[in-house]
Amino acid sequence: MDASSSPTSSIGQSQNIKADALQQIAEPAAKGDGSVFSQLLSNPFFTAGFGLAGLGAAVRYGSVGVRRTAELIKRRLLVDLEITRHDESYEWVLNWMTTHYQNQLNPSKRAGVVETILQRFTPGLHHLQIQTARTKTASGSEHTAFALVPGHGKHILRFRNAFIAVSRERVDIFKEAHDLATQRIEGKTVVYTSRNVGWDASGQAKRKRPFNSVVLQKGLAEKIVTDIREFLGAREWYLDRGIPYRRGYLLYGPPGTGKTSFVQALAGELDFNIAMLSLSQRGLTDDLLNHLLLNIPPRTLVLLEDVDAAFSNRRQRDEDGYSGANVTFSGLLNALDGVASAEERIIFMTTNHKDRLDEALIRPGRVDMTVQLGNATAWQMERLWDRFYAQYDQDGAQRARFMDRARLTGLIGNVSTAALQGLFLYNKESPENAIEMIGELNPSRVEANDIVSAP
């Protein structure tokens, strides 16, 4: 009997031993005096912080997942289109947005139920800008028009059954840079020269030359300025009659008579810049000349120097083997008024040898006014004297003596204004020395000044 009952009692004792062991392990954990892990689990602050951290991680990775999903959908279903401010279609899209928004404010009465619901849920333009435009009528009066265009920011428009998100951005750093560059050249004249296949500013902008600093024959400078101002104000008149809107002037005469200097002073008077180009420049071809004249910077006078170079048949080889100018006569004519020639421009051409020019060049349409700048007349000499010595010769007595000496030495009409200016600069504070040195000027006989306008 004892043998039959012993197996059962041994199993029961084994189970009791295991239960006691588990109880011994659990009791210290419950009492908080067990291992480090058990103590952490029994700490309410740890469990609360662990739960918050887990919740924060779940929220973070959940938001990242939502954002990644949205970006994926955007890449798959949407197309980004960037239109820069300098692109021609920029103003078109801006005007379309304005017109489209105005149409949405005044929906058609034929709109269906779905269309009406979409119109109600379509966001509107909440930030607008005013755009002012001034135009001149045929009578010369000025008309001002105002328009409201979408301002900078984000806009949502509906085109047919699709929604379009438009973001008009303002890049202030570029505007500030542009304003700074404008301030640096304000009150100055930028002189452009050709480089490669375009125009580049030649050094720093120059201070505007006073218009009265170049003394031409009496009334000549004023006549040219009046002609240009009338041309600038007659743009619509030209376009309405199908006449190419361009003007050409030819200045000719011996060196030192103020051809280039007058163009510089004229640019300052009109608030224009100058694009200078010599037709005898090495590497200048017919195609390049036409390209340059087609891409003139805005508000810029074109100065073509040595225009007679296109007519010269000389072949002067230098050490590099260069032989003469590459611009041909026909290339010059095509650039001035050919089929592909530019409009809305003012060109001044200069030459020291008018006799080398062909009549085809100086006809109206290519050259509208021909002006000869000869040597100094008596009137020019007196004006130059007053510019330098008015403060020293207030009663004009020294000027009269100077003019008497000029007549005796035969300088009137036989000396350039540049030579006279050089004499006055050398004696800038001594009118008496200028009178004494007048005999050192070398007279050179030229034709009298005149002006010829094309009919």
Side-chain angles (χ1 to χ4, degrees):
M1 289 177 25
D2 294 334
S4 61
S5 61
S6 58
T8 304
S9 61
S10 63
I11 294 175
Q13 290 176 357
S14 175
Q15 292 175 349
N16 291 335
I17 291 173
K18 291 181 179 178
D20 292 340
L22 291 174
Q23 184 177 2
Q24 291 176 1
I25 295 174
E27 284 179 355
K31 292 179 180 180
D33 55 356
S35 64
V36 176
F37 181 73
S38 300
Q39 293 178 4
L40 290 176
L41 290 178
S42 64
N43 191 326
F45 295 100
F46 174 77
T47 54
F50 188 78
L52 291 176
L55 181 61
V59 171
R60 178 178 180 275
Y61 286 106
S63 62
V64 170
V66 172
R67 186 170 65 252
R68 294 284 177 84
T69 303
E71 292 177 354
L72 178 62
I73 295 175
K74 183 179 179 180
R75 287 197 301 268
R76 293 290 184 179
L77 301 181
L78 301 180
V79 176
D80 289 335
L81 175 63
E82 180 182 359
I83 304 176
T84 62
R85 179 65 180 86
H86 301 286
D87 190 85
E88 187 178 4
S89 63
Y90 183 88
E91 294 295 334
W92 303 347
V93 176
L94 199 62
N95 293 332
W96 174 84
M97 290 176 60
T98 305
T99 305
H100 196 68
Y101 174 62
Q102 292 174 349
N103 294 336
Q104 289 182 353
L105 292 178
N106 301 302
S108 173
K109 296 181 179 180
R110 299 180 180 179
V113 177
V114 177
E115 179 70 17
T116 304
I117 295 175
L118 289 175
Q119 289 175 355
R120 290 183 178 276
F121 284 96
T122 300
L125 300 180
H126 300 288
H127 179 57
L128 301 174
Q129 284 185 340
I130 191 169
Q131 190 176 66
T132 306
R134 294 185 178 183
T135 58
K136 287 188 176 181
T137 62
S139 60
S141 61
E142 189 176 82
H143 175 70
T144 304
F146 303 94
L148 293 176
V149 299
H152 295 91
K154 293 185 178 180
H155 308 280
I156 297 179
L157 297 175
R158 184 174 57 84
F159 178 66
R160 297 177 182 173
N161 294 326
F163 287 90
I164 301 176
V166 180
S167 178
R168 188 182 178 198
E169 299 179 356
R170 181 198 301 272
V171 186
D172 293 329
I173 186 173
F174 295 112
K175 182 179 183 301
E176 182 177 346
H178 177 266
D179 293 341
L180 180 61
T182 303
Q183 292 175 4
R184 288 181 176 177
I185 64 174
E186 187 175 359
K188 298 180 180 180
T189 301
V190 179
V191 178
Y192 296 98
T193 56
S194 64
R195 184 176 182 180
N196 297 328
V197 292
W199 297 100
D200 280 347
S202 178
Q204 299 293 327
K206 298 182 178 180
R207 184 179 178 181
K208 288 184 178 179
R209 183 164 184 168
F211 187 64
N212 59 2
S213 65
V214 180
V215 181
L216 301 185
Q217 186 182 0
K218 185 176 181 179
L220 181 57
E222 291 74 12
K223 184 171 185 178
I224 298 175
V225 171
T226 301
D227 183 79
I228 293 180
R229 292 192 187 279
E230 290 179 353
F231 169 76
L232 294 175
R235 181 177 183 275
E236 293 186 5
W237 187 91
Y238 276 78
L239 298 180
D240 290 343
R241 289 159 179 78
I243 303 175
Y245 185 57
R246 48 181 175 248
R247 197 77 172 161
Y249 300 85
L250 175 65
L251 307 181
Y252 73 96
T257 53
K259 297 183 290 295
T260 302
S261 299
F262 173 71
V263 175
Q264 294 176 349
L266 181 63
E269 177 72 10
L270 299 173
D271 196 23
F272 270 56
N273 296 317
I274 303 175
M276 298 182 64
L277 182 65
S278 174
L279 294 185
S280 59
Q281 175 180 315
R282 176 181 300 187
L284 184 64
T285 63
D286 293 346
D287 292 338
L288 180 56
L289 174 62
N290 191 62
H291 175 78
L292 291 172
L293 294 185
L294 283 172
N295 296 275
I296 301 169
R299 294 190 64 81
T300 300
L301 301 177
V302 181
L303 176 58
L304 294 181
E305 296 185 307
D306 304 327
V307 69
D308 55 284
F311 300 83
S312 177
N313 292 322
R314 293 177 299 176
R315 287 291 182 266
Q316 298 177 343
R317 294 185 177 272
D318 58 15
E319 296 178 356
D320 299 329
Y322 171 68
S323 58
N326 294 322
V327 177
T328 65
F329 175 53
S330 60
L332 175 61
L333 297 184
N334 289 331
L336 292 177
D337 70 343
V339 176
S341 60
E343 295 193 9
E344 300 191 18
R345 72 181 182 200
I346 301 175
I347 291 184
F348 279 84
M349 294 178 283
T350 66
T351 181
N352 298 333
H353 309 282
K354 180 176 178 287
D355 56 318
R356 297 178 183 176
L357 304 184
D358 195 283
E359 292 294 329
L361 174 65
I362 58 178
R363 71 163 178 79
R366 292 170 180 155
V367 173
D368 302 289
M369 182 178 289
T370 303
V371 181
Q372 180 181 2
L373 302 183
N375 287 331
T377 63
W379 184 88
Q380 289 175 279
M381 287 184 174
E382 291 178 350
R383 300 289 80 74
L384 283 172
W385 177 275
D386 291 341
R387 277 191 55 219
F388 283 89
Y389 303 122
Q391 59 178 332
Y392 305 106
D393 183 27
Q394 298 182 1
D395 59 356
Q398 290 173 307
R399 181 182 62 196
R401 291 171 49 203
F402 176 82
M403 294 304 300
D404 289 341
R405 291 285 302 273
R407 293 185 180 91
L408 289 175
T409 55
L411 289 181
I412 297 179
N414 296 311
V415 66
S416 67
T417 54
L420 282 173
Q421 182 169 284
L423 173 66
F424 296 154
L425 284 173
Y426 187 78
N427 303 282
K428 54 182 175 296
E429 296 181 355
S430 178
E432 287 296 330
N433 287 347
I435 296 174
E436 295 297 327
M437 293 180 62
I438 191 174
E440 299 182 11
L441 295 179
N442 184 22
S444 57
R445 177 71 59 182
V446 296
E447 300 176 0
N449 292 9
D450 62 6
I451 176 171
V452 180
S453 299

